[in-house]
Amino acid sequence: MDASDINRSLVSELEAMGFSEVQATKALCSSGNSSLEAAVNWIVDHEDETFNDEMPMVSVDIIETPTPTFDSEQAKLKAQELRFDFILKFHEEGPSTQEERRGREKLDKEREKERIRAGKERLATKRMAEENERKRFEAQRKTEKEEESRARERIRQKLQQDMADRRARLGSSLNSGTSLKSIKTSEPETKNPLKVDSAVLSGNLITKKEVLMECLRSLRRQHKAEDMKVQRAFKTLLVYVRNIVSNPDDGKFRKIRVSNPAFQARVGLFKEGVQFLELCGFERAEKGDFLVLRSDKVDMALLRSAGMVLHTAITNPFFGLLSM
């Protein structure tokens, strides 16, 4: 394999683990350039081999030069000078015995083994951290899914209770002589959970929050292919809610022109976005041209719950998708 084809990222990781560039390159070439673990295993299996940096071979033109001539006296002086230099150097450095060389080689091997062991430990620690992160992520997804399932079940039970109450009122009206036609006309439609907001929102704050959350889940599920637009709608709705909570007495924050291009591009293009505002207390006004939240309809607890639900929808990437 050509050295230019070697994965430079893997070479850098091996160097960070304490291996030389030559070791890393040779290990990757020999192990198929496939993975970091395969390269480390190859180095361990060939730890007794010596890795030397290979220098390129360069041809050199040798030019012969005439050798200067010396007389016999000069040659003797030169030989004596060289002998003195050798003796002086020998006494300064001391003899390098075979035992000392073996000791150095053994120490080098021990150091190499320690570098390999430390590299393996770092690799194992990294993989353990990745596995723990994966498990934590899966546990979070499971918790989110269970929470959404419980919320949907509570809404379903609430709707069933409302239907039972209406049936009871219907039976009472029949007994009192009210015509069946007038009762059917006055009975609200219950097929869509978001259309029974007046009945559901008459309950406690937890139920209100669940209905608001279900509205946003429906928006996310119905338009999951337009995630960027959905996120923009969530953020715009959060701005509307925060402005009213911060300035409940300022009427300009409680009135929205439906035909406003910015509103249409961000919220109005989703029917669920308009439904969310209606669940917060907004009503159609001036022949439907405006959405208005009257001052006597401002429910601060409900608006704060709406803000919390929107924050969850914005920050949770799996919001509305796990319970499908």
Side-chain angles (χ1 to χ4, degrees):
M1 180 181 292
D2 192 351
S4 62
D5 296 331
I6 294 299
N7 189 324
R8 301 308 303 175
S9 176
L10 294 179
V11 172
S12 299
E13 290 194 41
L14 287 170
E15 287 181 330
M17 293 170 62
F19 304 116
S20 67
E21 182 179 2
V22 174
Q23 286 177 309
T25 303
K26 187 170 183 179
L28 289 170
C29 286
S30 301
S31 63
N33 196 30
S34 57
S35 67
L36 184 65
E37 184 175 4
V40 172
N41 290 335
W42 189 92
I43 294 176
V44 173
D45 294 338
H46 299 78
E47 62 180 85
D48 294 331
E49 295 185 9
T50 302
F51 297 93
N52 296 320
D53 295 335
E54 298 181 358
M55 299 301 294
M57 302 299 293
V58 181
S59 60
V60 179
D61 296 332
I62 301 175
I63 302 175
E64 295 184 359
T65 56
T67 304
T69 58
F70 296 93
D71 56 23
S72 60
E73 188 64 26
Q74 288 177 330
K76 290 180 181 179
L77 291 175
K78 187 64 177 178
Q80 186 177 8
E81 182 181 350
L82 293 175
R83 185 165 56 254
F84 286 155
D85 289 343
F86 175 77
I87 294 172
L88 180 61
K89 183 177 180 181
F90 178 82
H91 284 290
E92 287 178 351
E93 296 181 354
S96 177
T97 64
Q98 186 176 10
E99 183 178 353
E100 290 175 345
R101 286 196 302 273
R102 289 176 179 174
R104 286 195 297 270
E105 291 175 356
K106 182 178 180 180
L107 181 60
D108 290 340
K109 288 184 178 180
E110 291 294 332
R111 289 174 178 172
E112 185 67 18
K113 289 181 179 179
E114 178 62 22
R115 283 196 295 269
I116 293 174
R117 185 193 63 78
K120 284 188 172 182
E121 287 184 356
R122 285 194 293 268
L123 184 61
T125 302
K126 179 181 178 182
R127 290 184 174 175
M128 183 179 297
E130 291 175 349
E131 179 65 16
N132 291 337
E133 179 65 17
R134 183 187 65 80
K135 291 180 179 179
R136 186 193 66 79
F137 180 71
E138 289 181 353
Q140 181 180 359
R141 288 183 60 186
K142 182 178 179 181
T143 302
E144 291 284 349
K145 188 173 182 178
E146 291 175 351
E147 181 182 352
E148 290 190 4
S149 297
R150 288 194 295 267
R152 290 169 65 87
E153 179 62 22
R154 286 195 293 267
I155 292 176
R156 187 186 65 80
Q157 292 177 359
K158 178 63 178 175
L159 293 176
Q160 288 180 348
Q161 183 62 41
D162 290 341
M163 291 176 64
D165 292 342
R166 282 194 294 273
R167 290 194 188 99
R169 289 195 297 269
L170 176 61
S172 176
S173 299
L174 287 175
N175 292 334
S176 62
T178 305
S179 65
L180 181 62
K181 182 178 180 180
S182 62
I183 292 172
K184 289 185 176 179
T185 303
S186 62
E187 185 177 4
E189 184 67 34
T190 60
K191 292 182 180 179
N192 186 349
L194 300 179
K195 292 183 179 180
V196 295
D197 54 293
S198 60
V200 178
L201 292 180
S202 62
N204 55 33
L205 185 59
I206 295 178
T207 303
K208 296 177 183 179
K209 183 177 179 180
E210 290 169 353
V211 174
L212 291 168
M213 187 171 288
E214 181 60 26
C215 180
L216 296 184
R217 289 196 193 103
S218 176
L219 194 160
R220 183 73 181 274
R221 287 194 296 267
Q222 296 299 325
H223 306 280
K224 59 183 178 181
E226 302 175 280
D227 189 64
M228 292 185 63
K229 291 183 179 180
V230 170
Q231 284 290 320
R232 186 172 61 180
F234 288 165
K235 292 177 182 179
T236 304
L237 288 170
L238 183 59
V239 171
Y240 288 147
V241 172
R242 283 179 175 173
N243 285 341
I244 298 173
V245 172
S246 301
N247 307 276
D249 298 326
D250 195 336
K252 70 180 180 180
F253 294 121
R254 293 185 281 105
K255 186 175 183 180
I256 303 171
R257 183 187 294 275
V258 177
S259 60
N260 183 285
F263 174 79
Q264 284 295 324
R266 293 173 174 270
V267 178
L269 74 163
F270 302 119
K271 65 178 182 179
E272 296 89 349
V274 177
Q275 288 173 344
F276 187 86
L277 291 173
E278 292 174 345
L279 290 172
C280 291
F282 280 84
E283 298 176 350
R284 296 276 183 171
E286 300 182 25
K287 298 182 180 180
D289 293 337
F290 289 88
L291 284 170
V292 178
L293 176 59
R294 300 203 312 266
S295 58
D296 59 333
K297 294 287 187 179
V298 175
D299 186 340
M300 297 300 288
L302 175 61
L303 291 172
R304 289 192 180 95
S305 294
M308 293 173 61
V309 170
L310 285 165
H311 178 73
T312 300
I314 293 170
T315 56
N316 182 3
F318 304 102
F319 180 85
L321 301 178
L322 299 179
S323 59
M324 292 184 63

